[in-house]
């Protein structure tokens, strides 16, 4: 849904070819760790979120080349989009390693407490706070680095950018509701569908264009 949605938005935006390619790459990226954080805040099913992120990242090995061929080659046949294979591996690692540490801590920390709380409870709170700080920090840095481009973007780009994630989340929630999933799982699927891994897009743009 998201790659097709981003392609339709790109075509409707009337933007330059490079901007349209950037929009499509965002929609074609798999889910990232940010969706896991949003799922935690939304009181969704975090294990389901992690599983979906991991498998969508694995699927990127073969889906990204297909999506680039289907959607981007229709815009410009001369641009060679380079797939960041190392980014895919690193993303899988960044999902699997912290999850393994958390699982091990949750399983074995059944007696030791610090200030009345288990260690895994402190880890839960700390990662939530750190994740929030990271999201805010990344947004501020992005505005600082690309402030001129953001200010010069037309109203159509702003409109589609603001619409993109809620539309994907609504589709995910609707699909999960149709399949009869409980509400926590509906929220999880909504986050996984709507929140893309932007670092993939940045890597692809950096590797592919001057």
């Amino acid at each position: 849904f998201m790659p097709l949605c981003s392609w339709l938005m790109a075509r409707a935006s009337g933007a330059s070819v490079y901007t349209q390619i950037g929009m499509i790459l965002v929609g074609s990226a798999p889910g990232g760790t940010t969706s896991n954080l949003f799922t935690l805040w939304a009181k969704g099913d975090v294990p389901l979120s992690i599983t979906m992120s991991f498998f969508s990242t694995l699927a990127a090995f073969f889906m990204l080349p297909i999506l680039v061929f289907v959607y981007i080659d229709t815009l410009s046949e001369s641009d060679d989009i380079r797939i960041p294979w190392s980014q895919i591996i690193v993303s899988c690692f960044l999902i699997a390693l912290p999850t393994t540490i958390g699982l091990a801590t949750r399983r074995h920390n059944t007696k030791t407490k610090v200030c009345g709380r288990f260690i895994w409870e402190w880890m839960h709170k700390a990662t939530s706070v750190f994740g929030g700080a990271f999201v805010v920090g990344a947004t501020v840095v992005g505005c600082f680095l690309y402030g001129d481009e953001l200010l010069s973007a037309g109203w159509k780009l702003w409109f589609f950018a603001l619409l993109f994630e809620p539309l994907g989340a609504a589709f995910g929630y609707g699909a999960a509701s149709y399949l009869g999933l409980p509400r926590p799982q509906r929220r999880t699927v909504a986050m996984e569908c709507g929140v893309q891994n932007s670092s993939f897009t940045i890597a692809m743009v950096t590797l592919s264009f001057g």
Side-chain angles (χ1 to χ4, degrees), residues 135-178:
V135 170
V136 173
T139 303
V140 172
V141 171
C143 291
F144 177 77
L145 292 177
Y146 304 106
D148 293 338
E149 289 85 351
L150 291 172
L151 291 174
S152 62
W155 69 268
K156 283 187 177 181
L157 286 180
W158 278 100
F159 173 74
F160 287 130
L162 292 171
L163 181 65
F164 187 69
E165 186 173 324
L167 191 62
F171 174 82
Y173 193 92
S177 300
Y178 178 77

Side-chain angles (χ1 to χ4, degrees), residues 41-53:
W41 290 342
K43 300 186 184 303
D45 188 331
V46 176
L48 175 61
S49 176
I50 292 171
T51 303
M52 292 181 70
S53 293

Side-chain angles (χ1 to χ4, degrees), residues 93 95-108 120 123:
F93 181 77
I95 293 172
L97 179 62
T99 302
T100 302
I101 295 173
L103 285 169
T105 305
R106 182 68 179 86
R107 179 179 178 83
H108 297 291
W120 62 266
M123 290 174 63

Side-chain angles (χ1 to χ4, degrees), residues 103-209:
L103 285 169
T105 305
R106 182 68 179 86
R107 179 179 178 83
H108 297 291
N109 179 218
T110 58
K111 296 181 179 179
T112 304
K113 290 186 177 182
V114 178
C115 297
R117 295 180 183 272
F118 289 110
I119 295 174
W120 62 266
E121 291 180 305
W122 285 113
M123 290 174 63
H124 181 278
K125 292 182 177 295
T127 52
S128 181
V129 172
F130 174 79
F134 179 81
V135 170
V136 173
T139 303
V140 172
V141 171
C143 291
F144 177 77
L145 292 177
Y146 304 106
D148 293 338
E149 289 85 351
L150 291 172
L151 291 174
S152 62
W155 69 268
K156 283 187 177 181
L157 286 180
W158 278 100
F159 173 74
F160 287 130
L162 292 171
L163 181 65
F164 187 69
E165 186 173 324
L167 191 62
F171 174 82
Y173 193 92
S177 300
Y178 178 77
L179 293 173
L181 295 181
R183 286 187 178 180
Q185 282 74 35
R186 295 179 195 177
R187 292 194 290 267
T188 301
V189 176
M191 292 296 101
E192 286 298 317
C193 186
V195 182
Q196 312 303 112
N197 189 338
S198 58
S199 64
F200 266 76
T201 306
I202 295 172
M204 283 189 283
V205 168
T206 302
L207 289 171
S208 304
F209 307 103

